[in-house]
Amino acid sequence: MKTKTLKKDKVNIITLGCSKNMVDSEVLSGQLLANDIDVVHESAKRDHNIVVVNTCGFIDKAKEESINTILEQVDLKQRGKLDKVYVTGCLSERYRGDLESEIAGVDAWFGTMELPLILKKFDADYKSELVGERLLSTPSHYAYLKIAEGCNRTCSFCAIPLMRGGHVSKPIEELVLEAEKLVKSGVKEIMLIAQELTYYGLDLYKQRRLGDLMRALAGVKGLEWIKLHYAYPTKFPMEILDVMNEFPNICKYLDMPLQHASNAMLKAMKRQITREEIEELVQAIRAKVPGICLRTTLIAGFPGETTEDVEELKGFLERMRFDRVGVFTYSHEEGTSAHELEDNISAEEKESRAQEIMEVQQEISLEKNQEKVGKIFKVIVDKKESGRYLARTEFDSVEVDNEVIINTTKRLKPGDFVEVRITKAFDYDLEGELV
């Protein structure tokens, strides 16, 4: 006698927003797998019956993308293609009440810190012994390591503390264990991420301990590259630069969002630093780590920003000559202290200012790339595309920075380290040949 078998659940996790969200999705996947539930990331196949949308609520464009994604999944459910749609992440944390009343068809909403509650929906248990067990959504040779959650800063434009709460550091031993597990699974490069790396340890150990964490991670066998993302310029812990010099597997790379360079704007943004202090800090960092790659991000169109402020920012870029720069247009966020100011610059003007700033950087980037022609760099291979390989130097982080194009008939694999002589320079990319 045949018995009818129940179809097993398969979960597709769709992640929007930043790398911190990506790590949350990977942890959720690891927990589901450990509870014997099939799970995939962003699957294009329609062989799953449950979707979890991990949303971003950071700025207007991200919120729009999150809402559109939720609506698409609800539509699939209404057409009988899905059984359940769950929503988690920053948008859900921030606007749960409004979303529940406006979007019908979502089975449950969760905030950013409610992983055990999501698992309950699958009759699954949160397994605390699974520290560091993640199903990676990145290629297997690199991963992000989230060293802290939340932020204690009160920058006037930023809604992160509203969605992620105050700064909470993860213990060093736990992070080393997680890094060891990642390396065992094939990871060779780790990007350290947090809303603010340089605050690490203050809550847990009553002192900044980023340097100690870097030392501990540098000792993980098989970990070839460690990169630092999101350092805060105020009270910057200079001792981490000594650690960077001490260990060859800590990349000479620092991502330090500055947001602006005009003192009027820095004050309005509540950044607790002046342009003069930033310039001194940049010079001190470069003196301590010669050849370091400095990446920063800036905001164009903050309330009250004048054309003089924009000119000052452009002049600052010309003097400082950062290796990498990203520019965002200001987004007027409810709940932030800047929301009380009048958002008095049109969207078109914000875009035009961002473009103007990027044009200054484009020229600097090309000049810096031209200086690399003829030099040899160790690169990590990311993928093969249109018959050529795309790789990165230690001075480039994944998806946001430059790539090195390698034309070769030799077979390379993602995660391979090779030596490349640079033959051509473009605005944001390099081309080279295997040595």
Side-chain angles (χ1 to χ4, degrees):
M1 184 179 135
K2 281 187 182 174
T3 54
K4 191 182 174 197
T5 52
L6 283 170
K7 191 168 162 276
K8 199 178 170 200
D9 283 337
K10 185 168 185 180
V11 183
N12 181 26
I13 300 180
I14 300 171
T15 308
L16 304 163
C18 68
S19 47
K20 294 184 278 297
N21 260 16
M22 194 190 287
V23 172
D24 292 345
S25 292
E26 291 172 353
V27 170
L28 170 60
S29 312
Q31 290 281 344
L32 290 170
L33 275 182
N35 281 280
D36 203 26
I37 294 162
D38 273 353
V39 60
V40 285
H41 287 289
E42 324 243 340
S43 174
K45 290 184 195 163
R46 285 279 156 80
D47 61 348
H48 51 270
N49 64 320
I50 297 173
V51 163
V52 177
V53 183
N54 188 356
T55 58
C56 178
F58 186 45
I59 55 175
D60 289 341
K61 281 179 192 161
K63 289 188 247 184
E64 203 177 305
E65 185 188 13
S66 292
I67 287 166
N68 289 340
T69 306
I70 296 166
L71 294 172
E72 279 162 21
Q73 299 308 313
V74 166
D75 179 53
L76 287 171
K77 181 185 155 187
Q78 283 161 350
R79 285 167 30 214
K81 304 270 167 85
L82 289 173
D83 296 334
K84 303 268 183 200
V85 175
Y86 298 123
V87 178
T88 182
C90 292
L91 188 83
S92 182
E93 174 76 42
R94 199 170 164 196
Y95 299 108
R96 191 184 316 200
D98 297 342
L99 292 165
E100 278 176 335
S101 59
E102 283 173 34
I103 301 178
V106 170
D107 294 275
W109 302 84
F110 302 95
T112 50
M113 311 300 273
E114 295 182 323
L115 176 61
L117 295 180
I118 301 177
L119 292 170
K120 274 211 168 73
K121 288 287 175 191
F122 295 93
D123 294 325
D125 296 321
Y126 176 71
K127 298 181 189 295
S128 54
E129 70 276 14
L130 286 180
V131 166
E133 294 286 347
R134 289 153 49 183
L135 174 66
L136 290 184
S137 54
T138 55
S140 60
H141 60 285
Y142 67 80
Y144 295 95
L145 185 63
K146 181 154 61 162
I147 70 167
E149 191 55 85
C151 186
N152 282 10
R153 299 286 174 188
T154 53
C155 303
S156 63
F157 53 83
C158 185
I160 296 287
L162 303 173
M163 300 180 281
R164 292 271 173 183
H167 182 102
V168 182
S169 304
K170 278 192 194 175
I172 291 176
E173 310 73 59
E174 206 174 287
L175 290 164
V176 169
L177 186 66
E178 194 170 337
E180 286 169 346
K181 286 182 180 175
L182 287 168
V183 170
K184 269 198 191 115
S185 73
V187 168
K188 296 178 181 181
E189 174 187 25
I190 279 177
M191 271 80 60
L192 301 192
I193 54 168
Q195 205 47 46
E196 184 193 338
L197 279 190
T198 37
Y199 197 90
Y200 177 79
L202 265 174
D203 56 317
L204 199 56
Y205 306 110
K206 306 298 169 246
Q207 54 178 311
R208 293 176 190 259
R209 295 281 301 272
L210 180 59
D212 293 339
L213 172 64
M214 288 160 65
R215 267 194 196 91
L217 291 172
V220 173
K221 276 195 174 60
L223 182 51
E224 300 226 22
W225 278 1
I226 298 166
K227 285 199 178 89
L228 305 184
H229 279 272
Y230 320 126
Y232 193 85
T234 308
K235 295 188 178 159
F236 181 83
M238 294 299 281
E239 67 275 8
I240 68 171
L241 302 174
D242 296 326
V243 186
M244 195 178 270
N245 282 329
E246 200 181 323
F247 295 96
N249 59 345
I250 298 177
C251 296
K252 290 182 167 39
Y253 177 97
L254 185 66
D255 184 346
M256 185 163 64
L258 295 170
Q259 315 304 2
H260 218 287
S262 131
N263 282 332
M265 286 294 99
L266 289 166
K267 190 176 178 188
M269 290 177 174
K270 299 188 177 169
R271 293 292 288 169
Q272 305 167 316
I273 198 166
T274 63
R275 194 203 72 241
E276 293 78 8
E277 287 167 336
I278 291 173
E279 293 193 2
E280 267 173 44
L281 174 63
V282 170
Q283 282 157 358
I285 291 170
R286 283 180 170 153
K288 210 156 195 195
V289 184
I292 190 171
C293 170
L294 286 178
R295 165 175 241 285
T296 194
T297 38
L298 305 164
I299 295 173
F302 185 86
E305 183 188 61
T306 62
T307 49
E308 287 78 27
D309 292 324
V310 178
E311 287 310 312
E312 191 172 339
L313 180 50
K314 282 154 64 180
F316 169 80
L317 285 184
E318 280 161 355
R319 283 193 308 283
M320 293 292 104
R321 295 179 67 77
F322 290 98
D323 301 85
R324 317 274 180 256
V325 174
V327 183
F328 291 93
T329 53
Y330 170 74
S331 178
H332 207 45
E333 296 297 315
E334 309 97 319
T336 62
S337 59
H339 197 257
E340 292 159 23
L341 305 171
E342 191 196 341
D343 187 13
N344 60 350
I345 297 161
S346 71
E348 296 74 33
E349 179 59 22
K350 285 176 188 171
E351 284 296 345
S352 149
R353 289 179 185 189
Q355 190 56 39
E356 237 180 274
I357 295 160
M358 272 320 287
E359 276 165 18
V360 172
Q361 181 56 28
Q362 191 172 350
E363 215 164 288
I364 294 166
S365 179
L366 176 62
E367 285 165 11
K368 287 198 163 232
N369 279 350
Q370 283 165 339
E371 289 163 14
K372 294 184 173 78
V373 173
K375 292 182 181 164
I376 293 170
F377 291 92
K378 174 183 168 183
V379 300
I380 190 168
V381 177
D382 278 330
K383 58 186 169 190
K384 190 176 187 181
E385 213 173 71
S386 318
R388 47 202 205 150
Y389 292 97
L390 298 179
R392 285 174 293 113
T393 69
E394 73 169 288
F395 309 114
D396 297 292
S397 209
V398 79
E399 286 182 353
V400 292
D401 292 329
N402 296 0
E403 288 180 317
V404 180
I405 300 153
I406 311 169
N407 293 302
T408 180
T409 51
K410 195 178 167 192
R411 235 183 119 236
L412 302 174
K413 296 189 309 294
D416 280 353
F417 283 95
V418 291
E419 301 265 302
V420 169
R421 181 181 285 105
I422 303 304
T423 52
K424 260 190 212 162
F426 306 99
D427 289 347
Y428 296 115
D429 293 315
L430 298 163
E431 203 169 297
E433 56 194 19
L434 290 183
V435 175

